[in-house]
Every structure is written in C-alpha cells, then in structure tokens.
Amino acid sequence: IPPSVIGTGSSALTLQSLEHWMRGTPDTFEALHVHWLWIPHVIAFITGDAFTALVIFRMIVVAFAVYFLLLAARCMFDERRAIIGAAMLVLNVTVLYLFHTFDSQLLTLFAACALLYLFTSSNPQHHKLAAILFGLSLSIGFWPFVLLISVVTVGLNLHHATYGPRSKQTYVLFGLMLFGMASYLLLEIFYFGSAHVWAAMNPKFFEPRGISLIAQGIIIAIFSTNVLLVTIFRRKAGGIAREFQSTFVILGVFFLTNMFSRDEMLHDVVILVPCLIL
C-alpha cells in the first residue's frame, strides 16, 4: 500500500504492527499503545484485514472527535454555533491532512475533544471521567499526554470555584488521573511484561521525515493565521477566552520551541484546533 494512502512514519508502523499482531506475538509498538491498538485489533479479527480495520477505526475516532466537539459547543453556545463549530473541525486543513493517515495525532484530537466536552460539562461525574481519560492518554504517547495538560487547564479554569488549590475535589481529580496512568502501565505489564515500561515513560525524539517537513511548514503558516484571527476577533468581556489562555500559552511555547525539530508538534496543532474553534 503506497504512502499516499496510509501516510508515513508512525502511520505505516501502525499498519505493519497490527499485521504482525494478527500473525503472532505483539511487538514493542503494540506494547506502547495497547490502550487503543486493541480496538483495531478486534476489528481486524472480524474483518480479517489490518488495513480495513484501521480505516474503520480511523473513521470512528474522527467521528467521535467531531461529535464531542459538537457537544462541547452545545454546552457553551447554541445549536447553530455548535453545528458550525463541528463543520469547522471536519473541514480544518490539519484534520484533512491527517485523515488520510493512521497517525496517533488523530487519537490526540479525539482525546482533546473528549476532554473539552467532559470538562465543559456541569456534571462533576464527567470531570472524573475526563481525569481518567487524561491518564489513559499516556498510551497515545509521552508528548500527547504532556500536551493534553493544556486542555485540563480549561476545565480547571471553567470550574475554578470547585477545583481550587486546596479543594478536596481537585485531589480526587488528580488521583483519578494517576489511576488512569497506572491502569495503562499495569495492563502493558500484564500483556507484554516489564521490558517495555521504560520505553513507554521515556520520550523518544525523531527528526522530521521527508515530505512531512514541508506539510508541517504549511500547517504552521495556516495555524499562525488562525491565531492572529483569534487575537483580532476575540470575544468580549464575559466570554470564554480567559479560560483558554493557559492552553494557548502551554501549547504555544511548546510549538515555538519545537518548530521544524520533531513530528510531535503536530500533536500540539491538533490539540489547538478544537480550542481555537471554540
């Protein structure tokens, strides 16, 4: 299958690893991403084809990402604006660029949209689910896990009266985050032993590969334009812009310090996309 169909880098590795898992013992890649790769593995067991399973899985991930952003926008605005926001995500150039791949950035997008919905909800139980999901995001990768902290700050800012520095509810949230992290590591050890634990916790650095450097440069230009538009047309006093300020600072600093240096900056961009839309 040509790279134009599946993408390069981790996208091609995902397909290769899933095919390997279907034939026998899982390898390191499955060990690092066991919390999400088991889903296409189950689909592949039904379809009998790894590529078909990943196509179905990709559609499910993107569909849920759009759906969760729609729900988050409904919590903040009206139905019309929520639909417009969902359409903006579907037609966003970054999402369209990634949608032809199986890259883990799609999972980062799903996690970001799900966290935004759960944390914008007024139901405290949703906040607890968001904390567990954030812990589980460690299975997407070390840097996505770190960068999704920026979305957690949105929830803490929106509900600052509830989640203060000394609030019991705040400690409960952080405890559930640790529970999600621990469940991932324990499941990995259960399935694959302890050999890959350090690899899961230790961030790896890779140089950008081939055409992705050019594509990322284009995304940077378009992303920068969107940031300027948000600055110019920011909401009036009483809006939600303040709740997202810490998000933009955290992701913006990481973005600038990693420009043209690592593929992980695309995780940064796909987290910013739904935040900028809102």
Side-chain angles (χ1 to χ4, degrees):
I1 303 173
S4 59
V5 176
I6 64 170
T8 58
S10 61
S11 182
L13 184 60
T14 302
L15 178 61
Q16 175 184 315
S17 299
L18 185 58
E19 290 175 339
H20 182 255
W21 196 358
M22 291 173 64
R23 293 195 299 267
T25 305
D27 57 22
T28 304
F29 187 85
E30 286 86 5
L32 296 179
H33 303 292
V34 63
H35 255 20
W36 64 268
L37 200 60
W38 68 267
I39 304 174
H41 182 56
V42 171
I43 300 174
F45 177 78
I46 299 172
T47 62
D49 180 68
F51 178 76
T52 302
L54 284 172
V55 170
I56 296 172
F57 177 65
R58 176 179 62 192
M59 294 176 65
I60 293 173
V61 167
V62 175
F64 271 101
V66 174
Y67 177 66
F68 281 128
L69 182 68
L70 178 68
L71 294 179
R74 281 177 178 171
C75 292
M76 297 181 174
F77 310 108
D78 52 44
E79 183 71 18
R80 181 180 65 87
R81 292 181 182 179
I83 293 174
I84 292 173
M88 290 173 67
L89 184 65
V90 172
L91 300 175
N92 182 270
V93 64
T94 308
V95 177
L96 291 175
Y97 164 69
L98 292 171
F99 189 56
H100 85 286
T101 75
F102 306 127
D103 276 333
S104 57
Q105 284 90 349
L106 291 174
L107 294 165
T108 308
L109 176 67
F110 162 79
C113 291
L115 288 175
L116 281 170
Y117 162 62
L118 292 170
F119 272 128
T120 54
S121 170
S122 58
N123 187 344
Q125 298 303 318
H126 288 175
H127 306 163
K128 294 178 181 178
L129 290 175
I132 296 175
L133 175 60
F134 170 69
L136 295 178
S137 69
L138 181 61
S139 64
I140 303 175
F142 178 85
W143 286 118
F145 171 74
V146 171
L147 293 172
L148 284 170
I149 294 175
S150 61
V151 180
V152 174
T153 65
V154 175
L156 297 179
N157 290 336
L158 284 170
H159 307 286
H160 61 273
T162 303
Y163 302 111
R166 300 179 181 179
S167 171
K168 178 182 176 182
Q169 289 88 337
T170 305
Y171 292 116
V172 170
L173 280 189
F174 281 102
L176 291 172
M177 293 175 188
L178 292 175
F179 171 77
M181 295 169 57
S183 69
Y184 158 61
L185 294 175
L186 289 174
L187 183 63
E188 181 185 333
I189 294 172
F190 176 77
Y191 274 112
F192 309 106
S194 59
H196 304 298
V197 174
W198 172 241
M201 298 300 296
N202 180 33
K204 301 291 184 68
F205 306 102
F206 300 96
E207 292 297 324
R209 301 188 270 296
I211 190 68
S212 70
L213 185 64
I214 300 173
Q216 290 181 38
I218 295 173
I219 291 174
I220 288 172
I222 298 174
F223 159 76
S224 303
T225 303
N226 278 280
V227 171
L228 290 175
L229 289 174
V230 170
T231 302
I232 296 171
F233 300 109
R234 60 183 181 274
R235 289 178 57 81
K236 297 179 180 179
I240 63 170
R242 288 185 60 185
E243 282 72 15
F244 284 87
Q245 284 178 354
S246 55
T247 301
F248 296 151
V249 170
I250 293 171
L251 295 177
V253 169
F254 187 88
F255 187 90
L256 293 174
T257 55
N258 291 280
M259 190 174 292
F260 292 108
S261 62
R262 294 203 297 268
D263 286 352
E264 281 88 350
M265 73 178 182
L266 279 181
H267 288 291
D268 185 16
V269 175
V270 298
I271 294 172
L272 274 166
V273 167
C275 293
L276 289 172
I277 289 173
L278 291 177

